[in-house]
Amino acid sequence: DIVMTQSPFSLAVSEGEMVTINCKSSQSLLSSGNQKNYLAWYQQKPGQSPKLLIYYASTRQSGVPDRFIGSGSGTDFTLTISDVQAEDLADYYCLQHYSSPLTFGSGTKLEIK
Amino acid sequence: QVTLKESGPGILQPSQTLSLTCTFSGFSLSTYGMGVGWIRQPSGKGLEWLANIWWDDDKYYNPSLKNRLTISKDTSNNQAFLKITNVDTADTATYYCARICITIAAGVMDAWGQGASVTVSS
């Protein structure tokens, strides 16, 4: 199984600041066939279901604000949230769908000061 | 508009079989590339993928549940099902179903249900 190591466990920032969440996979998620990285990011607000933010490591899902930016390739990936808003209070998860079983990172809790 | 809704027993006893239903609209499991996945989340903890079923009846399971899982579908009624045999307290969680499509969003879960809470207790 591919192990997804996500960091940090939690972070607290003020509105307007930028945050970076990291995800490292135990194997490369880069497909040699299409040169795509099979890494997605989800946001889960309190009491809600997860919401897809990013897929293919850097492609924003329709309707997701452009302050959510995914980057990285191979085994190292980053979700950057610029100009954090109060509404961004949530848990964030990475997911690898390169191979079965699909595996999630352990999550990052974002708190707003 | 894609919607999904999970339903289940709410509470069941150890060793019983958990049966979950996902009723969806806005897509069809008879359409090329479509699928439904099941994911669970214990209270206050992270997400665990359980199984996927695809339009062509191809199925994938998380081997960590050691053959306890069975996923199936009823295309005509827009439903997908998940059974977990021999449950114990570790299966207490919120269970989500989600739409997956190989031609949309790289085939990851792009629309989720609200979740069904399941408690295993004697």
Side-chain angles (χ1 to χ4, degrees):
Chain A
D1 298 5
I2 297 177
V3 177
M4 304 300 292
T5 302
Q6 190 173 336
S7 64
F9 173 76
S10 67
L11 68 167
V13 299
S14 301
E15 284 191 82
E17 293 185 342
M18 183 178 75
V19 302
T20 299
I21 298 170
N22 302 296
C23 194
K24 187 176 183 67
S25 59
S26 60
Q27 301 173 39
S28 176
L29 305 183
L30 178 63
S31 169
S32 57
N34 61 8
Q35 291 300 298
K36 300 283 191 183
N37 287 280
Y38 283 72
L39 187 283
W41 289 98
Y42 288 87
Q43 175 193 62
Q44 186 177 30
K45 294 183 177 181
Q48 296 186 17
S49 308
K51 172 189 173 183
L52 177 64
L53 295 176
I54 303 278
Y55 59 94
Y56 282 149
S58 61
T59 302
R60 221 174 283 114
Q61 174 70 329
S62 176
V64 173
D66 58 9
R67 53 200 179 77
F68 290 89
I69 301 168
S71 61
S73 184
T75 61
D76 292 279
F77 302 92
T78 299
L79 174 67
T80 301
I81 311 172
S82 60
D83 188 24
V84 168
Q85 304 295 302
E87 67 201 48
D88 299 334
L89 168 77
D91 295 328
Y92 293 84
Y93 295 91
C94 59
L95 165 74
Q96 72 79 19
H97 58 113
Y98 181 83
S99 67
S100 189
L102 308 185
T103 46
F104 288 91
S106 54
T108 295
K109 179 178 291 292
L110 175 60
E111 298 175 326
I112 311 299
K113 292 179 185 176
Chain B
Q1 181 190 4
V2 173
T3 64
L4 305 97
K5 187 172 183 179
E6 307 85 350
S7 57
I11 186 166
L12 68 168
Q13 296 184 338
S15 81
Q16 290 186 321
T17 295
L18 169 60
S19 295
L20 296 162
T21 300
C22 176
T23 304
F24 55 86
S25 64
F27 69 99
S28 173
L29 266 178
S30 62
T31 300
Y32 170 83
M34 289 294 179
V36 167
W38 286 93
I39 307 95
R40 71 180 179 182
Q41 184 175 38
S43 180
K45 297 189 177 180
L47 299 162
E48 179 182 29
W49 172 77
L50 299 175
N52 286 352
I53 188 166
W54 294 96
W55 81 101
D56 59 359
D57 212 36
D58 207 4
K59 301 165 187 173
Y60 293 85
Y61 295 102
N62 191 328
S64 70
L65 275 83
K66 297 177 182 177
N67 301 319
R68 296 170 54 215
L69 300 177
T70 303
I71 193 170
S72 60
K73 61 183 172 68
D74 179 348
T75 302
S76 58
N77 288 307
N78 285 343
Q79 292 181 316
F81 310 97
L82 184 71
K83 290 187 188 298
I84 306 179
T85 59
N86 193 27
V87 298
D88 68 11
T89 55
D91 296 307
T92 295
T94 296
Y95 286 77
Y96 297 100
C97 64
R99 195 265 299 262
I100 48 178
C101 178
I102 60 174
T103 60
I104 299 173
V108 291
M109 297 77 80
D110 70 322
W112 294 57
Q114 63 190 23
S117 178
V118 174
T119 300
V120 180
S121 175
S122 55

